[in-house]
Amino acid sequence: MRTFSIAIHGGAGTITRSLMSSEKEKLYREALTYALNQGEEILRKNGTALDAVTAAVVALENNPLFNAGKGAVFTNTGKHEMDAAIMRGDTLEAGAVAGISAVKNPILLAKEIMQFSGHVFLAGNQAEDFARSRGLAFETPEYFHDEFRFGQWMSVKDEEGYQLDHTDEKKFGTVGAVAKDAFGNLAAATSTGGMTNKRWGRIGDSPVIGAGTYANNESCAISCTGHGEFFIRAVVAYDIHCLMVYKGLSLQQACELVVNDKLVKMGGEGGLIAVDHLGNIALPFNSEGMYRGFATPEESIIEIYK
Amino acid sequence: MRTFSIAIHGGAGTITRSLMSSEKEKLYREALTYALNQGEEILRKNGTALDAVTAAVVALENNPLFNAGKGAVFTNTGKHEMDAAIMRGDTLEAGAVAGISAVKNPILLAKEIMQFSGHVFLAGNQAEDFARSRGLAFETPEYFHDEFRFGQWMSVKDEEGYQLDHTDEKKFGTVGAVAKDAFGNLAAATSTGGMTNKRWGRIGDSPVIGAGTYANNESCAISCTGHGEFFIRAVVAYDIHCLMVYKGLSLQQACELVVNDKLVKMGGEGGLIAVDHLGNIALPFNSEGMYRGFATPEESIIEIYK
C-alpha cells in the first residue's frame, strides 16, 4: 500500500496537441504542477486527504485557465454560477453547493457546508448567506471576469443553446482532486463554473454526491469532468464504488467499464480521476484529452493528451 | 410477472396510532387512495409507468395534507421552496428541480425538464423561467399557504435550527410514486416541500438522481422519504439498484439491507417505495410509520403504521 496518492484534473474534452500552442501547454502544465504540489506537500507531511484535495482544488479555482472560481464561464445573463462538492471517505460526510456567484473559493464553501451547516447540499444566494456567516472570502464580478471566457460567451450568447466550456474545441471545464492519506483515509473534491451560456439555473454533476463526486474508505474517491447530464443519469462516481464493493472489480476495471463502456454507450463524453484505498490511481477518459496529474511518494506526473 | 404494479408514499416519520385521530386517519386514507387510483387507472388502461407516477404525484401535490405542492412547509423566511424529480427506467432519462416557489406542480416541471430542457437538473427562479416557457401552471403564495403548515412554522421560526416536517411528531414530508407498466417499463417520481424553517437554500435527497429518486428497467424504481442528508450520503436509490444488479439481491433483500441496516447504522431515518422489473413491491421504512399504498391487478392496499 502506498503512503499517499493524489490525483487532480482540470477538465476533459477535445484537447489535442494540434490545437494547443506550446506556450499554452506550458501554462497548463505549470498550473497543474502547482496545484498538484499544493496537495502533495500536505500528504508528504502526513496531512489529511481532505486538506490535500481542498488545497489542490483551491489552487485550480484561483487560476483563470480553468473553469472554476476565477475564470468560471459566463451564463446566458453574463453571470457566473459555480458549483462544488467535497466528500470524506472515513465518515461519508459530504458538502455541496450549486449556483453561487460571489464566493471566491466554492470548494471552501462546500467544506464549510459539510462541517458546519447540518446539511449536505445548499444552493443559490441563500447558500452565500451561509458562506457569509462562516466568514468566507467573497469577490466582485470583476475578480471572476476573464477576457477569454467573456469572449467565449460573446461568441455564443445569441445562440439558443448552451455550450460546454469550449473554444474551437469541446471542453468540459471542471476541476477536481482525489487523495488517499497516510491514515488510509480518502477524500474527493470537485468545482466548476458549468457550461458557457447555461441558463435556467442548470446544475451539472459536480455537486451531485454519487454522480460527479464521491469518496468512501471501503473503495475509492472519485471526481468527474464531462457532459454532466450523462454523469448524473449514470450515477458515475457511486457506480464505480459499487462495482468495486459488490462485484469485486479493481479500481482500474471499474473505471474502464464505467467511462469507456457504459458512458460511451449512453453518449456521455468526459473522464474522471480516482484513487482507491490502497493508493492505486486511475485517470480514465473517453474524450480526446484531459488535463490531469498524479503524485505518489515515488513519482509526480502531469499529462494532457491521450 | 405482474401486468402492472404501482406504489405511492406520502412521507415517513413518527406516525403512530396513538398520535392520530380517526378523522385525520380517514382523511389520509382517502387522499392516498385517490392518488393511488389516479396512477392505477392509467396502468389498467395500458398507460405508461411514467404517466402513472406523474398522475399519482400530482394528486399528492394537490392535497394540502402532504408536504409537496399545495401544503408545502414554510422556509425560515416564510416562503415555499419545493424540489422534485422524475426518472424513466427504459431510457434512463431524468429531470429534477430544486428551490422553486410558484409552479403549481413541481413534478410536472421535473417532467418537462427531462423531456424538453436538454438538461437534467435546474434550480431556483431560473428553473421557473423554463417552466413559464413551457406554459406550466403557476400559483400565488396564497394557493400554497396552508394554516396548519403556517402554524408549524410559527412555532419554530425563532429557533436556530430547521425542523423536519412535524407537529408533536417527527415527520419527513415528501411524496412519491413508483410503477411498472404492461410494457415492462419502470418509472419513479418524488416531490417535496423540504424541511420546515429550512434556510440557506437547502436541498434534500428528493431531486438528487440516485439518492431520493431512481429508475432503471434492469432493476427497479425507487422513491425515498426521510432525513435527506443521510439519503444523499448513502446514495440510497442507486445503492438498491447496484445491490440487485451487481450482487444479485432481490428487491426485498436490497431494500431491507439499505433501509434497515445501512441507513440505521448511519442514523438516517425514513423509508422508501420500490417496484422491480417483475412487478414486485417493497415498502421498507425504519421510522414508526409511513403513509403508503400499492396496487396490482389483484389488490389495492393503503397503510400508515408499522
Side-chain angles (χ1 to χ4, degrees), chain A residues 81 91-93 117 119-123 126-127 130 162 200-203 229 233 235 238-239 242-243 246-247 262, chain B residues 81 91-93 117 119-123 126-127 130 162 200-203 208 229 233 235 238-239 242-243 246-247 262:
Chain A
E81 285 173 9
T91 61
L92 304 185
E93 287 174 293
S117 74
H119 299 300
V120 169
F121 198 0
L122 305 182
Q126 294 184 76
F130 173 71
Y162 56 86
W200 302 325
R202 180 258 183 188
I203 300 174
E229 280 70 12
R233 291 166 51 205
V235 200
Y238 195 68
D239 200 26
C242 291
L243 286 164
Y246 300 151
K247 254 198 143 170
K262 293 172 86 166
Chain B
E81 284 173 12
T91 61
L92 303 185
E93 288 175 293
S117 75
H119 299 300
V120 169
F121 199 179
L122 305 182
Q126 294 183 77
F130 173 71
Y162 57 86
W200 301 325
R202 179 259 183 188
I203 299 174
V208 176
E229 279 70 11
R233 292 166 52 205
V235 200
Y238 195 67
D239 200 25
C242 290
L243 285 165
Y246 299 151
K247 253 197 142 172
K262 293 171 86 165

Short mmCIF file of all heavy atoms in Angstrom, two decimals, chain A residues 81 91-93 117 119-123 126-127 130 162 200-203 229 233 235 238-239 242-243 246-247 262, chain B residues 81 91-93 117 119-123 126-127 130 162 200-203 208 229 233 235 238-239 242-243 246-247 262:
data_model
loop_
_atom_site.label_atom_id
_atom_site.label_comp_id
_atom_site.label_asym_id
_atom_site.label_seq_id
_atom_site.Cartn_x
_atom_site.Cartn_y
_atom_site.Cartn_z
N GLU A 81 -22.11 31.20 -12.30
CA GLU A 81 -22.83 30.35 -11.35
C GLU A 81 -21.99 29.11 -11.15
O GLU A 81 -21.86 28.27 -12.05
CB GLU A 81 -24.21 29.97 -11.89
CG GLU A 81 -25.20 31.13 -11.81
CD GLU A 81 -26.51 30.83 -12.50
OE1 GLU A 81 -26.72 29.66 -12.90
OE2 GLU A 81 -27.31 31.76 -12.66
N THR A 91 -15.94 9.14 7.14
CA THR A 91 -17.24 9.35 7.80
C THR A 91 -18.40 9.40 6.81
O THR A 91 -19.55 9.45 7.23
CB THR A 91 -17.24 10.69 8.55
OG1 THR A 91 -17.02 11.75 7.59
CG2 THR A 91 -16.14 10.74 9.60
N LEU A 92 -18.08 9.42 5.53
CA LEU A 92 -19.08 9.64 4.47
C LEU A 92 -19.79 10.97 4.63
O LEU A 92 -20.89 11.16 4.12
CB LEU A 92 -20.10 8.51 4.40
CG LEU A 92 -19.56 7.09 4.21
CD1 LEU A 92 -20.71 6.10 4.04
CD2 LEU A 92 -18.63 7.03 3.02
N GLU A 93 -19.18 11.92 5.31
CA GLU A 93 -19.74 13.26 5.35
C GLU A 93 -19.47 13.94 4.01
O GLU A 93 -18.45 13.68 3.36
CB GLU A 93 -19.10 14.08 6.48
CG GLU A 93 -19.59 13.64 7.85
CD GLU A 93 -18.84 14.38 8.96
OE1 GLU A 93 -17.62 14.14 9.10
OE2 GLU A 93 -19.47 15.18 9.66
N SER A 117 -22.96 23.16 8.53
CA SER A 117 -24.33 23.57 8.22
C SER A 117 -25.39 22.62 8.75
O SER A 117 -26.56 23.00 8.83
CB SER A 117 -24.51 23.70 6.70
OG SER A 117 -24.58 22.42 6.09
N HIS A 119 -26.29 20.31 7.00
CA HIS A 119 -26.87 19.85 5.75
C HIS A 119 -25.78 19.32 4.83
O HIS A 119 -24.59 19.39 5.16
CB HIS A 119 -27.62 21.00 5.06
CG HIS A 119 -28.75 21.54 5.88
ND1 HIS A 119 -29.80 20.76 6.27
CD2 HIS A 119 -28.98 22.77 6.41
CE1 HIS A 119 -30.64 21.49 6.99
NE2 HIS A 119 -30.17 22.70 7.10
N VAL A 120 -26.18 18.84 3.66
CA VAL A 120 -25.21 18.40 2.65
C VAL A 120 -25.19 19.35 1.46
O VAL A 120 -24.14 19.68 0.94
CB VAL A 120 -25.55 16.96 2.17
CG1 VAL A 120 -24.72 16.59 0.95
CG2 VAL A 120 -25.31 15.96 3.29
N PHE A 121 -26.36 19.82 1.05
CA PHE A 121 -26.48 20.47 -0.26
C PHE A 121 -27.22 21.80 -0.10
O PHE A 121 -28.38 21.83 0.30
CB PHE A 121 -27.25 19.52 -1.19
CG PHE A 121 -27.13 19.77 -2.67
CD1 PHE A 121 -26.36 20.81 -3.18
CD2 PHE A 121 -27.79 18.93 -3.56
CE1 PHE A 121 -26.26 21.01 -4.55
CE2 PHE A 121 -27.70 19.12 -4.94
CZ PHE A 121 -26.93 20.17 -5.43
N LEU A 122 -26.55 22.90 -0.40
CA LEU A 122 -27.17 24.23 -0.36
C LEU A 122 -27.06 24.87 -1.75
O LEU A 122 -26.17 24.51 -2.53
CB LEU A 122 -26.48 25.13 0.67
CG LEU A 122 -26.37 24.62 2.11
CD1 LEU A 122 -25.70 25.66 3.01
CD2 LEU A 122 -27.75 24.25 2.68
N ALA A 123 -27.93 25.86 -2.01
CA ALA A 123 -27.90 26.45 -3.35
C ALA A 123 -28.21 27.94 -3.35
O ALA A 123 -28.91 28.45 -2.48
CB ALA A 123 -28.88 25.73 -4.27
N GLN A 126 -28.90 32.07 -1.08
CA GLN A 126 -29.03 31.69 0.33
C GLN A 126 -27.82 30.90 0.80
O GLN A 126 -27.44 30.97 1.98
CB GLN A 126 -30.29 30.87 0.54
CG GLN A 126 -31.56 31.65 0.31
CD GLN A 126 -32.78 30.81 0.63
OE1 GLN A 126 -33.11 30.59 1.78
NE2 GLN A 126 -33.44 30.30 -0.39
N ALA A 127 -27.23 30.13 -0.08
CA ALA A 127 -26.00 29.41 0.28
C ALA A 127 -24.89 30.42 0.58
O ALA A 127 -24.03 30.20 1.43
CB ALA A 127 -25.58 28.47 -0.84
N PHE A 130 -25.03 31.64 4.08
CA PHE A 130 -24.29 30.73 4.97
C PHE A 130 -22.79 30.99 4.88
O PHE A 130 -22.09 31.04 5.90
CB PHE A 130 -24.60 29.26 4.63
CG PHE A 130 -23.77 28.29 5.41
CD1 PHE A 130 -23.96 28.10 6.77
CD2 PHE A 130 -22.74 27.58 4.79
CE1 PHE A 130 -23.16 27.22 7.50
CE2 PHE A 130 -21.94 26.70 5.50
CZ PHE A 130 -22.16 26.53 6.86
N TYR A 162 -26.90 26.12 -25.00
CA TYR A 162 -25.78 26.32 -24.10
C TYR A 162 -24.53 25.80 -24.80
O TYR A 162 -24.57 25.26 -25.89
CB TYR A 162 -25.99 25.56 -22.80
CG TYR A 162 -26.21 24.11 -23.04
CD1 TYR A 162 -25.12 23.23 -23.16
CD2 TYR A 162 -27.49 23.60 -23.22
CE1 TYR A 162 -25.33 21.90 -23.45
CE2 TYR A 162 -27.69 22.26 -23.50
CZ TYR A 162 -26.60 21.43 -23.61
OH TYR A 162 -26.80 20.11 -23.89
N TRP A 200 -31.44 28.83 -17.01
CA TRP A 200 -32.44 28.12 -16.22
C TRP A 200 -31.89 27.54 -14.91
O TRP A 200 -32.46 26.61 -14.35
CB TRP A 200 -33.08 26.99 -17.04
CG TRP A 200 -33.74 27.46 -18.31
CD1 TRP A 200 -34.40 28.63 -18.53
CD2 TRP A 200 -33.82 26.74 -19.56
NE1 TRP A 200 -34.87 28.71 -19.82
CE2 TRP A 200 -34.54 27.55 -20.48
CE3 TRP A 200 -33.35 25.48 -19.97
CZ2 TRP A 200 -34.80 27.15 -21.78
CZ3 TRP A 200 -33.62 25.10 -21.28
CH2 TRP A 200 -34.33 25.92 -22.17
N GLY A 201 -30.76 28.07 -14.44
CA GLY A 201 -30.22 27.55 -13.18
C GLY A 201 -29.73 26.11 -13.29
O GLY A 201 -29.79 25.35 -12.33
N ARG A 202 -29.21 25.76 -14.49
CA ARG A 202 -28.76 24.40 -14.74
C ARG A 202 -27.66 23.95 -13.74
O ARG A 202 -26.70 24.68 -13.49
CB ARG A 202 -28.23 24.30 -16.16
CG ARG A 202 -27.72 22.91 -16.55
CD ARG A 202 -26.22 22.86 -16.52
NE ARG A 202 -25.69 21.56 -16.96
CZ ARG A 202 -24.42 21.21 -16.87
NH1 ARG A 202 -23.54 22.05 -16.39
NH2 ARG A 202 -24.02 20.03 -17.27
N ILE A 203 -27.83 22.79 -13.17
CA ILE A 203 -26.83 22.19 -12.28
C ILE A 203 -26.30 20.93 -12.96
O ILE A 203 -27.08 20.13 -13.49
CB ILE A 203 -27.46 21.81 -10.91
CG1 ILE A 203 -28.02 23.07 -10.22
CG2 ILE A 203 -26.45 21.11 -10.02
CD1 ILE A 203 -28.78 22.78 -8.93
N GLU A 229 -24.95 15.97 -17.58
CA GLU A 229 -26.26 15.31 -17.60
C GLU A 229 -26.11 13.78 -17.66
O GLU A 229 -26.83 13.05 -16.99
CB GLU A 229 -27.08 15.83 -18.79
CG GLU A 229 -27.76 17.17 -18.56
CD GLU A 229 -26.81 18.37 -18.50
OE1 GLU A 229 -25.62 18.23 -18.86
OE2 GLU A 229 -27.26 19.46 -18.08
N ARG A 233 -27.21 10.91 -14.77
CA ARG A 233 -28.09 9.79 -15.10
C ARG A 233 -27.41 8.45 -14.86
O ARG A 233 -28.07 7.45 -14.55
CB ARG A 233 -28.56 9.90 -16.54
CG ARG A 233 -29.51 11.08 -16.76
CD ARG A 233 -29.70 11.38 -18.24
NE ARG A 233 -30.05 10.18 -18.97
CZ ARG A 233 -29.83 9.99 -20.27
NH1 ARG A 233 -29.24 10.93 -20.99
NH2 ARG A 233 -30.18 8.87 -20.84
N VAL A 235 -25.06 8.00 -12.55
CA VAL A 235 -24.57 7.97 -11.15
C VAL A 235 -23.13 7.47 -11.15
O VAL A 235 -22.79 6.51 -10.44
CB VAL A 235 -25.49 7.12 -10.24
CG1 VAL A 235 -25.29 7.49 -8.77
CG2 VAL A 235 -26.96 7.30 -10.59
N TYR A 238 -20.66 6.83 -7.82
CA TYR A 238 -21.11 5.75 -6.94
C TYR A 238 -21.14 4.41 -7.67
O TYR A 238 -20.98 3.36 -7.05
CB TYR A 238 -22.48 6.08 -6.35
CG TYR A 238 -22.83 5.20 -5.17
CD1 TYR A 238 -22.12 5.32 -3.98
CD2 TYR A 238 -23.84 4.25 -5.24
CE1 TYR A 238 -22.41 4.51 -2.89
CE2 TYR A 238 -24.14 3.44 -4.16
CZ TYR A 238 -23.42 3.57 -2.99
OH TYR A 238 -23.72 2.77 -1.90
N ASP A 239 -21.31 4.44 -8.97
CA ASP A 239 -21.29 3.20 -9.74
C ASP A 239 -19.93 2.53 -9.63
O ASP A 239 -19.84 1.30 -9.49
CB ASP A 239 -21.63 3.49 -11.21
CG ASP A 239 -22.09 2.25 -11.96
OD1 ASP A 239 -22.62 1.32 -11.31
OD2 ASP A 239 -21.94 2.20 -13.19
N CYS A 242 -19.69 0.88 -6.29
CA CYS A 242 -20.47 -0.36 -6.21
C CYS A 242 -19.84 -1.50 -7.00
O CYS A 242 -19.87 -2.66 -6.55
CB CYS A 242 -21.90 -0.11 -6.72
SG CYS A 242 -22.86 0.93 -5.62
N LEU A 243 -19.26 -1.18 -8.15
CA LEU A 243 -18.60 -2.22 -8.94
C LEU A 243 -17.42 -2.82 -8.17
O LEU A 243 -17.13 -4.02 -8.28
CB LEU A 243 -18.14 -1.66 -10.28
CG LEU A 243 -19.27 -1.42 -11.29
CD1 LEU A 243 -18.80 -0.51 -12.42
CD2 LEU A 243 -19.80 -2.74 -11.84
N TYR A 246 -19.36 -4.43 -4.55
CA TYR A 246 -20.34 -5.51 -4.74
C TYR A 246 -19.92 -6.54 -5.75
O TYR A 246 -20.37 -7.67 -5.73
CB TYR A 246 -21.69 -4.91 -5.17
CG TYR A 246 -22.30 -3.96 -4.18
CD1 TYR A 246 -23.12 -2.91 -4.61
CD2 TYR A 246 -22.06 -4.06 -2.81
CE1 TYR A 246 -23.70 -2.03 -3.71
CE2 TYR A 246 -22.62 -3.18 -1.90
CZ TYR A 246 -23.43 -2.16 -2.35
OH TYR A 246 -23.99 -1.28 -1.47
N LYS A 247 -19.05 -6.12 -6.70
CA LYS A 247 -18.67 -7.05 -7.78
C LYS A 247 -17.21 -7.45 -7.73
O LYS A 247 -16.77 -8.30 -8.51
CB LYS A 247 -18.98 -6.41 -9.14
CG LYS A 247 -20.20 -7.03 -9.81
CD LYS A 247 -20.24 -6.74 -11.31
CE LYS A 247 -20.76 -7.90 -12.09
NZ LYS A 247 -21.03 -7.54 -13.49
N LYS A 262 -19.87 1.96 -20.41
CA LYS A 262 -21.23 2.43 -20.07
C LYS A 262 -21.48 3.86 -20.54
O LYS A 262 -22.51 4.14 -21.18
CB LYS A 262 -21.46 2.29 -18.57
CG LYS A 262 -21.51 0.83 -18.11
CD LYS A 262 -21.55 0.68 -16.59
CE LYS A 262 -22.96 0.75 -16.05
NZ LYS A 262 -23.04 0.26 -14.64
N GLU B 81 -40.19 26.47 -0.82
CA GLU B 81 -39.15 26.08 -1.77
C GLU B 81 -39.28 24.59 -2.02
O GLU B 81 -38.99 23.78 -1.14
CB GLU B 81 -37.76 26.40 -1.23
CG GLU B 81 -37.43 27.89 -1.31
CD GLU B 81 -36.14 28.23 -0.61
OE1 GLU B 81 -35.38 27.30 -0.26
OE2 GLU B 81 -35.89 29.42 -0.38
N THR B 91 -35.09 4.56 -20.74
CA THR B 91 -34.05 5.37 -21.39
C THR B 91 -33.06 5.95 -20.39
O THR B 91 -32.07 6.57 -20.80
CB THR B 91 -34.70 6.56 -22.12
OG1 THR B 91 -35.40 7.36 -21.16
CG2 THR B 91 -35.67 6.10 -23.19
N LEU B 92 -33.34 5.79 -19.11
CA LEU B 92 -32.55 6.44 -18.05
C LEU B 92 -32.57 7.97 -18.18
O LEU B 92 -31.68 8.65 -17.66
CB LEU B 92 -31.10 5.93 -18.01
CG LEU B 92 -30.92 4.43 -17.83
CD1 LEU B 92 -29.44 4.09 -17.69
CD2 LEU B 92 -31.69 3.92 -16.61
N GLU B 93 -33.55 8.49 -18.85
CA GLU B 93 -33.72 9.94 -18.84
C GLU B 93 -34.27 10.38 -17.49
O GLU B 93 -35.03 9.64 -16.86
CB GLU B 93 -34.68 10.37 -19.96
CG GLU B 93 -34.06 10.25 -21.34
CD GLU B 93 -35.06 10.56 -22.43
OE1 GLU B 93 -36.03 9.79 -22.59
OE2 GLU B 93 -34.87 11.58 -23.13
N SER B 117 -35.66 20.23 -21.83
CA SER B 117 -34.66 21.25 -21.49
C SER B 117 -33.27 20.94 -22.03
O SER B 117 -32.41 21.82 -22.07
CB SER B 117 -34.57 21.42 -19.97
OG SER B 117 -33.89 20.33 -19.39
N HIS B 119 -31.38 19.31 -20.31
CA HIS B 119 -30.64 19.17 -19.06
C HIS B 119 -31.34 18.16 -18.15
O HIS B 119 -32.41 17.65 -18.49
CB HIS B 119 -30.53 20.51 -18.35
CG HIS B 119 -29.79 21.55 -19.16
ND1 HIS B 119 -28.49 21.38 -19.57
CD2 HIS B 119 -30.19 22.74 -19.65
CE1 HIS B 119 -28.11 22.44 -20.27
NE2 HIS B 119 -29.12 23.27 -20.35
N VAL B 120 -30.74 17.90 -17.00
CA VAL B 120 -31.37 17.03 -16.02
C VAL B 120 -31.85 17.82 -14.81
O VAL B 120 -32.92 17.58 -14.28
CB VAL B 120 -30.38 15.92 -15.55
CG1 VAL B 120 -30.93 15.16 -14.35
CG2 VAL B 120 -30.11 14.95 -16.70
N PHE B 121 -31.04 18.79 -14.38
CA PHE B 121 -31.25 19.40 -13.06
C PHE B 121 -31.23 20.92 -13.18
O PHE B 121 -30.22 21.51 -13.57
CB PHE B 121 -30.11 18.92 -12.14
CG PHE B 121 -30.34 19.04 -10.66
CD1 PHE B 121 -29.35 18.60 -9.78
CD2 PHE B 121 -31.49 19.57 -10.13
CE1 PHE B 121 -29.51 18.69 -8.40
CE2 PHE B 121 -31.68 19.66 -8.76
CZ PHE B 121 -30.68 19.22 -7.89
N LEU B 122 -32.36 21.56 -12.88
CA LEU B 122 -32.46 23.02 -12.88
C LEU B 122 -32.85 23.49 -11.48
O LEU B 122 -33.45 22.74 -10.72
CB LEU B 122 -33.49 23.49 -13.90
CG LEU B 122 -33.34 23.02 -15.35
CD1 LEU B 122 -34.44 23.64 -16.21
CD2 LEU B 122 -31.97 23.37 -15.91
N ALA B 123 -32.54 24.77 -11.19
CA ALA B 123 -32.86 25.25 -9.83
C ALA B 123 -33.30 26.70 -9.81
O ALA B 123 -32.91 27.51 -10.66
CB ALA B 123 -31.65 25.06 -8.92
N GLN B 126 -34.70 30.71 -12.01
CA GLN B 126 -34.40 30.46 -13.42
C GLN B 126 -35.08 29.19 -13.92
O GLN B 126 -35.45 29.10 -15.09
CB GLN B 126 -32.90 30.37 -13.63
CG GLN B 126 -32.17 31.67 -13.38
CD GLN B 126 -30.69 31.52 -13.69
OE1 GLN B 126 -30.28 31.52 -14.84
NE2 GLN B 126 -29.87 31.34 -12.68
N ALA B 127 -35.23 28.21 -13.04
CA ALA B 127 -35.96 27.00 -13.42
C ALA B 127 -37.42 27.37 -13.70
O ALA B 127 -38.06 26.77 -14.57
CB ALA B 127 -35.88 25.95 -12.32
N PHE B 130 -37.90 28.57 -17.17
CA PHE B 130 -38.11 27.44 -18.09
C PHE B 130 -39.56 26.95 -18.00
O PHE B 130 -40.20 26.67 -19.03
CB PHE B 130 -37.14 26.29 -17.78
CG PHE B 130 -37.42 25.05 -18.58
CD1 PHE B 130 -37.15 25.01 -19.93
CD2 PHE B 130 -37.98 23.93 -17.98
CE1 PHE B 130 -37.44 23.87 -20.68
CE2 PHE B 130 -38.26 22.78 -18.72
CZ PHE B 130 -37.99 22.76 -20.08
N TYR B 162 -33.51 24.05 11.81
CA TYR B 162 -34.59 23.72 10.91
C TYR B 162 -35.42 22.65 11.59
O TYR B 162 -35.12 22.17 12.67
CB TYR B 162 -34.05 23.18 9.60
CG TYR B 162 -33.16 21.99 9.83
CD1 TYR B 162 -33.70 20.70 9.91
CD2 TYR B 162 -31.79 22.15 10.03
CE1 TYR B 162 -32.89 19.62 10.15
CE2 TYR B 162 -30.99 21.07 10.28
CZ TYR B 162 -31.54 19.81 10.35
OH TYR B 162 -30.74 18.73 10.60
N TRP B 200 -30.82 28.76 3.90
CA TRP B 200 -29.60 28.62 3.10
C TRP B 200 -29.82 27.87 1.78
O TRP B 200 -28.86 27.34 1.21
CB TRP B 200 -28.50 27.91 3.91
CG TRP B 200 -28.12 28.61 5.18
CD1 TRP B 200 -28.08 29.97 5.40
CD2 TRP B 200 -27.71 28.00 6.41
NE1 TRP B 200 -27.70 30.22 6.70
CE2 TRP B 200 -27.45 29.03 7.34
CE3 TRP B 200 -27.55 26.66 6.83
CZ2 TRP B 200 -27.05 28.79 8.64
CZ3 TRP B 200 -27.14 26.42 8.13
CH2 TRP B 200 -26.89 27.48 9.02
N GLY B 201 -31.06 27.82 1.30
CA GLY B 201 -31.30 27.12 0.05
C GLY B 201 -31.03 25.63 0.12
O GLY B 201 -30.61 25.02 -0.86
N ARG B 202 -31.33 25.05 1.29
CA ARG B 202 -31.06 23.62 1.50
C ARG B 202 -31.83 22.75 0.50
O ARG B 202 -33.01 22.92 0.26
CB ARG B 202 -31.45 23.26 2.93
CG ARG B 202 -31.26 21.79 3.28
CD ARG B 202 -32.57 21.01 3.25
NE ARG B 202 -32.38 19.62 3.66
CZ ARG B 202 -33.34 18.70 3.56
NH1 ARG B 202 -34.53 19.01 3.09
NH2 ARG B 202 -33.10 17.46 3.94
N ILE B 203 -31.11 21.81 -0.10
CA ILE B 203 -31.70 20.83 -1.00
C ILE B 203 -31.56 19.45 -0.35
O ILE B 203 -30.50 19.11 0.16
CB ILE B 203 -30.98 20.83 -2.38
CG1 ILE B 203 -31.11 22.21 -3.04
CG2 ILE B 203 -31.52 19.74 -3.29
CD1 ILE B 203 -30.29 22.35 -4.33
N VAL B 208 -32.22 14.65 -6.07
CA VAL B 208 -30.89 14.13 -6.40
C VAL B 208 -31.05 12.73 -6.99
O VAL B 208 -31.39 11.77 -6.28
CB VAL B 208 -29.98 14.10 -5.16
CG1 VAL B 208 -28.63 13.47 -5.50
CG2 VAL B 208 -29.80 15.51 -4.61
N GLU B 229 -30.33 14.35 4.16
CA GLU B 229 -28.87 14.41 4.18
C GLU B 229 -28.27 13.00 4.20
O GLU B 229 -27.28 12.72 3.51
CB GLU B 229 -28.39 15.22 5.38
CG GLU B 229 -28.44 16.73 5.19
CD GLU B 229 -29.84 17.34 5.15
OE1 GLU B 229 -30.82 16.64 5.48
OE2 GLU B 229 -29.95 18.52 4.75
N ARG B 233 -25.93 11.07 1.25
CA ARG B 233 -24.62 10.50 1.56
C ARG B 233 -24.58 9.00 1.28
O ARG B 233 -23.52 8.45 0.95
CB ARG B 233 -24.26 10.79 3.02
CG ARG B 233 -23.99 12.28 3.27
CD ARG B 233 -23.97 12.60 4.76
NE ARG B 233 -23.07 11.70 5.46
CZ ARG B 233 -23.17 11.39 6.76
NH1 ARG B 233 -24.14 11.91 7.49
NH2 ARG B 233 -22.31 10.57 7.31
N VAL B 235 -26.44 7.53 -1.04
CA VAL B 235 -26.85 7.30 -2.43
C VAL B 235 -27.88 6.15 -2.47
O VAL B 235 -27.72 5.16 -3.19
CB VAL B 235 -25.66 7.00 -3.36
CG1 VAL B 235 -26.02 7.26 -4.84
CG2 VAL B 235 -24.44 7.86 -3.01
N TYR B 238 -29.75 4.47 -5.81
CA TYR B 238 -28.85 3.76 -6.72
C TYR B 238 -28.16 2.58 -6.02
O TYR B 238 -27.79 1.60 -6.67
CB TYR B 238 -27.80 4.72 -7.30
CG TYR B 238 -27.08 4.14 -8.50
CD1 TYR B 238 -27.77 3.92 -9.68
CD2 TYR B 238 -25.74 3.80 -8.44
CE1 TYR B 238 -27.14 3.37 -10.78
CE2 TYR B 238 -25.09 3.26 -9.53
CZ TYR B 238 -25.79 3.04 -10.71
OH TYR B 238 -25.16 2.50 -11.80
N ASP B 239 -28.02 2.67 -4.70
CA ASP B 239 -27.44 1.56 -3.96
C ASP B 239 -28.31 0.32 -4.10
O ASP B 239 -27.80 -0.80 -4.27
CB ASP B 239 -27.28 1.94 -2.48
CG ASP B 239 -26.28 1.06 -1.75
OD1 ASP B 239 -25.37 0.51 -2.41
OD2 ASP B 239 -26.39 0.93 -0.52
N CYS B 242 -27.76 -1.18 -7.48
CA CYS B 242 -26.47 -1.88 -7.57
C CYS B 242 -26.48 -3.21 -6.82
O CYS B 242 -25.90 -4.20 -7.28
CB CYS B 242 -25.34 -0.99 -7.05
SG CYS B 242 -25.00 0.41 -8.13
N LEU B 243 -27.13 -3.22 -5.65
CA LEU B 243 -27.21 -4.47 -4.89
C LEU B 243 -27.97 -5.54 -5.68
O LEU B 243 -27.65 -6.73 -5.59
CB LEU B 243 -27.89 -4.22 -3.54
CG LEU B 243 -27.00 -3.50 -2.51
CD1 LEU B 243 -27.84 -2.97 -1.36
CD2 LEU B 243 -25.91 -4.43 -1.98
N TYR B 246 -25.50 -5.97 -9.32
CA TYR B 246 -24.12 -6.44 -9.14
C TYR B 246 -23.99 -7.58 -8.14
O TYR B 246 -23.04 -8.33 -8.19
CB TYR B 246 -23.22 -5.28 -8.68
CG TYR B 246 -23.16 -4.12 -9.66
CD1 TYR B 246 -22.92 -2.82 -9.20
CD2 TYR B 246 -23.32 -4.30 -11.03
CE1 TYR B 246 -22.85 -1.75 -10.08
CE2 TYR B 246 -23.27 -3.24 -11.91
CZ TYR B 246 -23.03 -1.97 -11.43
OH TYR B 246 -22.96 -0.91 -12.30
N LYS B 247 -24.95 -7.62 -7.16
CA LYS B 247 -24.82 -8.64 -6.12
C LYS B 247 -25.91 -9.69 -6.19
O LYS B 247 -25.91 -10.66 -5.45
CB LYS B 247 -24.85 -7.97 -4.74
CG LYS B 247 -23.47 -7.95 -4.06
CD LYS B 247 -23.58 -7.67 -2.59
CE LYS B 247 -22.56 -8.50 -1.82
NZ LYS B 247 -22.51 -8.11 -0.41
N LYS B 262 -28.03 -0.41 6.68
CA LYS B 262 -27.07 0.66 6.37
C LYS B 262 -27.54 2.04 6.86
O LYS B 262 -26.78 2.76 7.51
CB LYS B 262 -26.81 0.69 4.85
CG LYS B 262 -26.07 -0.58 4.37
CD LYS B 262 -25.99 -0.66 2.84
CE LYS B 262 -24.78 0.09 2.31
NZ LYS B 262 -24.46 -0.27 0.91
#
